[in-house]
Amino acid sequence: MISVIVPVYNTERYVGQCIESVLASAYNDFELILVNDGSTDRSIEVCRKYREQDCRIRLIEQKHMGVSIARNRGLRESRGEWIVFVDSDDLISPDFLYLASRREYGEYDLLLFDFVCLQEKRQPFIGARRCAFKHYEEGRYKVRYFEYADREEMLRHLLNMQQIVKGGKTSLCSPCAKVYRKSVIERYSIQFPEDIAIGEDRIYNIEYFMRSNLCIYVQKPVYLVRNRPGSAMRGFCADYLSMDTRYQERLEGIIKREGMLPLLKRAYYNSVLMSMADVLIRGIFHPDSTRTDAENRMLCRKMEKNRIYQRAMKEFWKTGRMPRRVLLLFYRLRCYRMVKLMCRVSRWILFGE
């Protein structure tokens, strides 16, 4: 059986579509675990309605504690041999669970699939779902195999946020569009870290990749991501610096514990530098920030004192794209007006804002 875990928080407009996409699966031996994480809108009412209609749905209610705690709660309550995570505003294809259940894939600890991303404001979501998946019929996709010896390569791609094969559309950082073996999760007590608010997905996948023996990549889109204009990935985060600091400490601890730092040194520091750029763009010089220029300068000085950032900055001109190198160069030179300008330009290039 497959356990599909869906954390739900204030997505009343979308969670019904998400549930229906799971219920429309060609494979029927699954349980759908909805974890309502203290929603304050009508999400819980939508979930209750669907639970009454289908006995495969289980609804868990808890106060708002965050997505990691909600996913971990779903893991503890799950009864399946395989685990699938779905976000409550996304959809899956009708054949996702069928592909996950295929007997020839049963010996693998991890199954990876492709994503389809959709800008919600550009076209109707449900119609786009049909268009997104219809061109990938059975037998028209590639399958790649990875063994335990390939874990260094997998981790390097994860840290660099790169595709594992050219032309792929998977994400090694996200827990979605993947199938995990529950026995591996239980054997090594792998869970989403509940004390950090960013990077928790990457920590979970790194821990799992360290423990899994065989992995298969089915180069076929089975998961449709809804990119909403108000997504949290674009918004201002006042506490981004302290949250990223906790994430970096956890990441460094895992890589050192496994003795992987010498092998992953360049990819690891590239990952830290990417995070530093994000801190500057979303956490310090975001246009929605109400802090003064003096307060922003103090935060930048605080970044300079962080030992992990200090080590990564020794490599800042050796890796990454030129715009990031220039941004971090101005940060290093304490030319904060230029840093602020580049952060604004970066948002305009990425999001048109």
Side-chain angles (χ1 to χ4, degrees):
M1 185 170 69
I2 299 173
S3 295
V4 182
I5 299 173
V6 181
V8 180
Y9 180 68
N10 288 353
T11 51
E12 62 174 306
R13 289 182 54 196
Y14 314 109
V15 66
Q17 296 175 4
C18 174
I19 293 171
E20 289 178 5
S21 76
V22 178
L23 297 181
S25 297
Y27 183 74
N28 293 316
D29 188 14
F30 67 85
E31 62 174 355
L32 174 55
I33 303 176
L34 306 174
V35 184
N36 181 57
D37 187 38
S39 296
T40 56
D41 63 359
R42 296 182 61 255
S43 295
I44 186 62
E45 298 174 28
V46 177
C47 293
R48 286 170 180 165
K49 182 187 74 171
Y50 281 98
R51 180 189 60 181
E52 294 171 359
Q53 297 173 0
D54 198 304
C55 62
R56 294 172 296 180
I57 297 178
R58 298 168 59 197
L59 177 58
I60 299 171
E61 299 182 40
Q62 64 180 34
K63 64 180 181 180
H64 182 52
M65 293 185 284
V67 65
S68 290
I69 293 178
R71 285 174 176 156
N72 290 336
R73 177 76 181 275
L75 279 172
R76 290 194 300 270
E77 300 286 344
S78 63
R79 298 181 291 218
E81 299 174 73
W82 302 93
I83 301 295
V84 167
F85 295 103
V86 180
D87 287 343
S88 60
D89 52 354
D90 297 335
L91 305 177
I92 65 172
S93 68
D95 59 352
F96 181 15
L97 302 186
Y98 163 73
L99 290 170
S101 70
R102 293 183 64 163
R103 185 167 298 178
E104 59 265 40
Y105 300 160
E107 64 181 289
Y108 295 90
D109 292 336
L110 178 64
L111 281 64
L112 310 174
F113 294 88
D114 275 349
F115 288 83
V116 176
C117 295
L118 178 74
Q119 297 293 339
E120 185 189 30
K121 61 184 178 182
R122 294 182 181 172
Q123 61 186 118
F125 195 63
I126 297 299
R129 173 176 176 257
R130 290 193 291 267
C131 295
F133 298 128
K134 70 179 182 180
H135 297 299
Y136 293 88
E137 291 88 7
E138 180 77 16
R140 295 186 60 188
Y141 50 84
K142 297 179 181 179
V143 178
R144 310 292 179 103
Y145 303 90
F146 300 90
E147 299 182 351
Y148 184 77
D150 299 313
R151 68 171 183 156
E152 179 186 334
E153 177 187 0
M154 299 285 283
L155 291 169
R156 186 175 292 110
H157 285 299
L158 188 157
L159 291 170
N160 286 323
M161 299 182 69
Q162 296 173 333
Q163 295 295 326
I164 50 178
V165 299
K166 186 177 181 179
K169 295 180 179 179
T170 190
S171 170
L172 296 179
C173 297
S174 170
C176 301
K178 295 174 181 59
V179 185
Y180 301 89
R181 187 185 292 275
K182 188 180 180 183
S183 61
V184 174
I185 295 171
E186 291 181 328
R187 185 181 309 131
Y188 297 104
S189 301
I190 302 171
Q191 63 177 358
F192 291 87
E194 299 178 355
D195 59 336
I196 60 176
I198 60 171
E200 67 276 10
D201 295 348
R202 278 171 280 180
I203 294 295
Y204 180 85
N205 279 338
I206 287 173
E207 292 275 22
Y208 193 91
F209 289 161
M210 293 285 192
R211 307 304 178 191
S212 58
N213 290 320
L214 298 173
C215 169
I216 186 170
Y217 173 32
V218 181
Q219 202 169 345
K220 177 187 186 302
V222 298
Y223 192 100
L224 189 55
V225 178
R226 187 194 309 264
N227 287 331
R228 292 184 277 154
S231 171
M233 293 302 294
R234 304 182 182 188
F236 170 59
C237 181
D239 200 30
Y240 204 129
L241 176 56
S242 61
M243 291 193 299
D244 187 68
T245 300
R246 290 194 294 271
Y247 162 70
Q248 297 298 344
E249 290 172 352
R250 181 68 61 85
L251 176 61
E252 181 190 53
I254 294 172
I255 293 178
K256 284 186 174 180
R257 182 193 70 200
E258 300 296 326
M260 299 290 287
L261 186 56
L263 301 174
L264 300 172
K265 181 178 179 180
R266 183 163 185 170
Y268 167 67
Y269 285 128
N270 183 53
S271 171
V272 176
L273 293 168
M274 283 191 287
S275 293
M276 291 181 67
D278 285 342
V279 170
L280 292 169
I281 294 170
R282 283 192 54 206
I284 299 180
F285 294 105
H286 194 281
D288 292 340
S289 172
T290 59
R291 287 191 294 256
T292 65
D293 289 341
E295 290 172 329
N296 286 337
R297 288 195 296 270
M298 288 180 61
L299 286 175
C300 289
R301 300 290 177 86
K302 185 176 180 180
M303 287 181 66
E304 293 176 11
K305 296 177 182 178
N306 182 282
R307 62 176 181 82
I308 296 178
Y309 293 158
Q310 287 176 352
R311 292 172 184 171
M313 281 298 294
K314 296 177 181 179
E315 309 288 329
F316 87 97
W317 203 253
K318 301 177 183 178
T319 182
R321 295 181 178 180
M322 185 57 66
R324 190 189 74 192
R325 298 185 193 185
V326 175
L327 172 66
L328 294 177
L329 174 62
F330 284 126
Y331 156 78
R332 185 177 188 179
L333 296 175
R334 298 182 177 178
C335 298
Y336 298 131
R337 289 185 179 180
M338 287 300 302
V339 173
K340 181 178 181 178
L341 176 61
M342 289 199 66
C343 288
R344 298 292 176 89
V345 171
S346 297
R347 290 191 56 77
W348 179 77
I349 293 173
L350 292 173
F351 307 124
E353 299 175 357

